[in-house]
Amino acid sequence: MNPLSVVVRTICDIFAWFMGIFGVYIIIHGHLTPGGGFQGGAVVATMAAFLLVAYGGKKVLSFVRPGFYSGMETAGLLLFITAGFLGMGTTFFYNFLAGRGGLFGAVVPIGPNSGILNSAGTISVMNIAVGLEVIGGLSLILIYMFKGIRLFDDHAGRSESGHDR
Amino acid sequence: MNWQIHLPALALAVPLLGAFVSPVAGLGGRLTRNAWMVLVSMATTAICILLWQRVVAGGTVVYVMGAEAWNITLPSGLSWPIRIILEVDAFSAFMVVVGSIAALAGAFFSLRFMDKFTGLEKFSALFFLLVTGMLGMQLTGDLFNFFVFLEIASVASFGLIAFWRDRPEAVEASFKYMVVSTISAMFVLIAVGFFYGRYNAVNIAAVARMLHMGYAEKIALVFIVVSLAMKCGAVPMHMWTPDAYAEAPAGVTCLLVAVSQASLYGLFRVCFSLYGASLGSTVVPWTIIVMGVLSMFIGVTMAVIQKEMKRLMAYHSVSQIGYILMALGVGLLSLKDPQAMADYGFTAMKGGIFHIINYTMYKGLLFLTAGAVFYSAGTRNLNELGGLARVMPLTTFMFAIAAAAIAGLPPFNGFVSKLLIYQSTFAVYPLLAVAALVTSVLTLASFVKVFQTAFLGPAKKTFEKVTEVPASMLLGMSVLTIVIVALTLFPGWTLSHLVEPAAKALVDQAGYISAVMGGGL
């Protein structure tokens, strides 16, 4: 895949950031609004698809190495299982952060309220962990699918041809 | 606080940690990765054995994930259990011990067997993910979680079966398994949806207490029986087994055998603990029995004519699954009639459950020896093999033990369980016992063929440089050999300590329900 036209690339430059931010919003609001780690992670991972389409695979692989996404995946998984094990004093996956104050443990007042972002304890931590894992995993899948296309091209013995030039 | 209350969660958490840390351990090189693999699989086996001890000593164990205490199954006076609940009775505990021993042997064997491949940190991650899925299916007390763990086990198997990725056959086998697994997992999900729609609950104990047989329940039962019979390779749906078992690396095949037992576990957990006495007619037990007889007979007749060692063994696993299905089907048939249960039903269940451990151990060992032959001689084709007993004496010895056990030769453990099955099924319908006997004879015939052509005979020129496999592979095989020999030497102890509590727990539906629902109302 070669890069697409300058119009597409400019739009991508602007909107890829919005997609990333929207995905992160879905991840960290996972306990309040529909969505969560998986859905938000999938939205962020579409950034990789966006870049692959607009800039072409060679350019994207020069931006970021697959090892970066692997590391993200591993970090997410480790964060998740660590959050599970830290509750082991009570039970596995026990929400030991909720209601303790601090970054994740705000106490929710009784009665109707508009939702307090930092009140969910380990659930937020796990949403972030799943988010990291899904961003890494789905982006890797996209990159390897792109590499599969390259493999096919090499076998056919012909050079790449773009869509619009 | 006594740490042993966390055993059910640890049995899942430790292999899961093993899977997630594997990519990091892989950074440290081959030695670190192998050490991690050995450490995690040994820890998992130890936890499973401790869990079994605790269940046998103190009765059914429950564990509520993430609750304020491990035993609050019904929080704040609700009449429904709301969290993820693990429920371990003697049957589940028996199954996790069997599964974790097979996983330990597979892990030891894979250390050296896989060393021709790259990306081994992913192999070890997938391997432990498969172990987690298998143990989760056997430990969970919740239908939806059963589906989740079924999916975890399936997805991990797709990658592992196709790990031999330079062989197109392996990719084909993995794809076939993927299609079959996805269809059966969707069936299970639809069945779970039926229960959730009818009873607002997915906990097995909660649903079992409220269950009234209606159309929705019947449809759900059909979906579950068909899909789980598909996953364990019973005959009309057995087409994926020979491909998947033959193409997966040997250490993985050993584990896949144990994973198919987890599907079998789910099938009988649903039939006995969820439906139990409300199963009503004899249609479902007879369906399971007929599936068992067909699997036995068709599996073994297909096996006799195979030329490839692992494919032959894979067809035998279809036929061995048939024994277990038939025996437990007979148990299910006699569930409503205490007299029949005492006369033959309970014996059949003991035979079937004893056969589960026997089958997993000797079939795992057979696949490992086939892998060892392939590792050393470079081929699995029986027409090319010959005279290997001269160069691989230890492998030959262990193969002989496993082959004698699967054929049901009298001193070995396979004989004990098969005898129990013959005796009890004869009382139901003599033809069942005849089919089982004929299958056993054909099993013996096909393993005599393998033993004769691969291991005996004159030394061949092509195999002059063949040597015995490395020590770690022998260690993996000897784990299973030791278990087989122990089961052979102490059948009485095994029956009274391992098998009988499991069979009693499976029949005791009220006990299963009250372990979760007892505190409420």
Side-chain angles (χ1 to χ4, degrees):
Chain A
M1 282 192 284
N2 280 337
L4 295 188
S5 66
V6 68
V7 179
V8 178
R9 275 179 283 143
T10 312
I11 300 277
C12 171
D13 284 346
I14 298 167
F15 281 99
W17 299 111
F18 283 101
M19 282 164 62
I21 290 166
F22 181 59
V24 172
Y25 168 86
I26 295 177
I27 293 173
I28 61 172
H29 284 73
H31 55 286
L32 294 174
T33 56
F38 185 89
Q39 291 82 348
V43 172
V44 178
T46 49
M47 209 167 148
F50 219 57
L51 293 179
L52 276 174
V53 171
Y55 282 93
K58 277 180 199 154
K59 195 88 191 242
V60 171
L61 284 177
S62 74
F63 295 157
V64 55
R65 283 184 303 142
F68 171 74
Y69 286 122
S70 283
M72 205 179 216
E73 211 180 352
T74 311
L77 291 172
L78 287 178
L79 184 61
F80 186 85
I81 195 87
T82 312
F85 265 104
L86 284 178
M88 208 64 161
T90 319
T91 50
F92 191 59
F93 282 134
Y94 179 68
N95 196 336
F96 63 98
L97 286 173
R100 294 269 183 88
L103 184 57
F104 291 106
V107 180
V108 184
I110 293 172
N113 60 63
S114 54
I116 293 167
L117 181 59
N118 58 349
S119 64
T122 48
I123 294 175
S124 300
V125 179
M126 284 175 182
N127 265 330
I128 293 168
V130 173
L132 280 176
E133 204 282 330
V134 172
I135 295 169
L138 282 181
S139 305
L140 271 184
I141 289 174
L142 289 167
I143 287 173
Y144 279 113
M145 279 164 86
F146 161 73
K147 282 190 171 173
I149 299 173
R150 289 270 303 273
L151 209 65
F152 182 74
D153 277 354
D154 289 349
H155 276 294
R158 57 194 158 81
S159 57
E160 290 182 308
S161 56
H163 303 280
D164 57 348
R165 51 180 76 184
Chain B
M1 196 188 282
N2 185 3
W3 67 275
Q4 289 219 342
I5 58 168
H6 293 300
L7 280 175
L10 279 175
L12 296 182
V14 167
L16 202 59
L17 181 74
F20 291 173
V21 174
S22 287
V24 181
L27 296 178
R30 188 168 150 238
L31 198 66
T32 324
R33 188 187 61 230
N34 286 352
W36 178 249
M37 206 158 164
V38 169
L39 182 75
V40 172
S41 32
M42 285 175 80
T44 310
T45 313
I47 287 167
C48 289
I49 290 172
L50 284 174
L51 177 63
W52 170 76
Q53 270 186 339
R54 192 172 155 234
V55 170
V56 169
T60 306
V61 171
V62 293
Y63 189 89
V64 189
M65 290 268 197
E68 280 77 17
W70 58 276
N71 56 356
I72 306 180
T73 51
L74 302 170
S76 350
L78 291 173
S79 54
W80 280 300
I82 53 166
R83 289 179 194 271
I84 296 174
I85 296 177
L86 304 179
E87 183 170 8
V88 193
D89 67 357
F91 185 46
S92 325
F94 168 80
M95 294 299 296
V96 294
V97 169
V98 174
S100 63
I101 291 174
L104 179 69
F108 277 139
F109 190 85
S110 300
L111 295 180
R112 285 298 296 279
F113 185 71
M114 300 299 292
D115 57 8
K116 288 175 197 160
F117 297 94
T118 55
L120 286 188
E121 73 279 358
K122 293 187 183 65
F123 172 79
S124 114
L126 284 172
F127 189 88
F128 286 123
L129 218 50
L130 183 55
V131 175
T132 313
M134 173 185 73
L135 296 180
M137 281 160 80
Q138 293 161 348
L139 290 175
T140 184
D142 183 303
L143 282 167
F144 184 74
N145 272 294
F146 182 82
F147 162 76
V148 171
F149 284 115
L150 183 76
E151 279 285 81
I152 292 178
S154 304
V155 172
S157 329
F158 305 155
L160 286 173
I161 291 171
F163 212 81
W164 221 292
R165 47 200 182 278
D166 51 343
R167 284 174 64 86
E169 292 92 340
V171 178
E172 186 208 333
S174 175
F175 183 72
K176 208 181 231 179
Y177 185 62
M178 191 186 289
V179 172
V180 168
S181 290
T182 312
I183 291 174
S184 76
M186 287 308 116
F187 276 10
V188 172
L189 186 61
I190 292 170
V192 175
F194 272 110
F195 290 121
Y196 190 58
R198 292 279 287 185
Y199 302 110
N200 275 330
V202 283
N203 188 281
I204 297 178
V207 175
R209 200 176 63 161
M210 294 183 278
L211 193 86
H212 295 291
M213 212 53 178
Y215 278 116
E217 287 77 6
K218 282 182 185 165
I219 295 169
L221 182 62
V222 169
F223 277 152
I224 287 182
V225 168
V226 169
S227 60
L228 292 180
M230 199 188 241
K231 283 285 290 183
C232 67
V235 134
M237 295 84 77
H238 69 291
M239 68 288 174
W240 62 270
T241 12
D243 287 340
Y245 284 6
E247 291 309 326
V252 174
T253 316
C254 174
L255 185 55
L256 280 179
V257 168
V259 173
S260 76
Q261 301 302 297
S263 302
L264 207 61
Y265 163 86
L267 179 60
F268 289 110
R269 176 58 77 207
V270 165
C271 286
F272 282 93
S273 298
L274 185 62
Y275 284 86
S278 57
L279 206 54
S281 71
T282 56
V283 174
V284 174
W286 273 109
T287 312
I288 292 176
I289 293 172
V290 168
M291 248 172 2
V293 175
L294 287 177
S295 307
M296 277 193 312
F297 196 70
I298 296 177
V300 85
T301 42
M302 294 291 284
V304 170
I305 56 171
Q306 297 300 320
K307 287 197 291 290
E308 207 201 303
M309 209 166 165
K310 269 184 100 181
R311 230 178 142 76
L312 182 144
M313 292 174 182
Y315 274 112
H316 273 295
S317 29
V318 174
S319 97
Q320 298 293 313
I321 286 277
Y323 278 98
I324 304 169
L325 280 173
M326 184 176 81
L328 289 173
V330 167
L332 196 60
L333 190 66
S334 56
L335 193 60
K336 275 203 304 185
D337 182 358
Q339 184 61 39
M341 198 64 182
D343 282 349
Y344 56 84
F346 198 66
T347 317
M349 292 190 53
K350 280 199 292 191
I353 291 173
F354 199 1
H355 208 72
I356 289 179
I357 184 167
N358 290 343
Y359 159 70
T360 313
M361 296 302 135
Y362 56 59
K363 181 56 73 173
L365 181 53
L366 282 172
F367 277 124
L368 293 189
T369 50
V373 166
F374 182 63
Y375 184 87
S376 285
T379 177
R380 301 183 301 205
N381 191 335
L382 288 174
N383 292 344
E384 292 167 16
L385 289 167
L388 289 176
R390 292 160 208 277
V391 284
M392 303 172 72
L394 292 169
T395 307
T396 312
F397 175 67
M398 290 194 254
F399 177 85
I401 288 182
I406 194 177
L409 292 186
F412 284 97
N413 56 350
F415 172 71
V416 183
S417 55
K418 282 186 180 177
L419 187 66
L420 289 171
I421 295 173
Y422 300 150
Q423 283 175 346
S424 50
T425 51
F426 191 79
V428 179
Y429 199 65
L431 210 56
L432 298 179
V434 173
L437 273 167
V438 171
T439 306
S440 192
V441 171
L442 286 173
T443 310
L444 181 62
S446 61
F447 276 99
V448 166
K449 169 180 139 182
V450 177
F451 190 59
Q452 163 69 25
T453 48
F455 292 101
L456 300 185
K460 286 197 175 180
K461 272 248 160 54
T462 39
F463 299 128
E464 263 174 357
K465 293 210 177 79
V466 170
T467 51
E468 188 61 89
V469 289
S472 67
M473 288 168 69
L474 286 174
L475 183 65
M477 292 192 272
S478 52
V479 168
L480 295 176
T481 315
I482 290 166
V483 177
I484 292 175
V485 171
L487 291 174
T488 305
L489 292 179
F490 310 107
W493 183 91
T494 315
L495 270 174
S496 60
H497 286 77
L498 264 173
V499 173
E500 240 181 61
K504 274 189 190 137
L506 195 52
V507 179
D508 182 16
Q509 192 193 13
Y512 191 83
I513 295 174
S514 68
V516 169
M517 308 297 291
L521 298 180

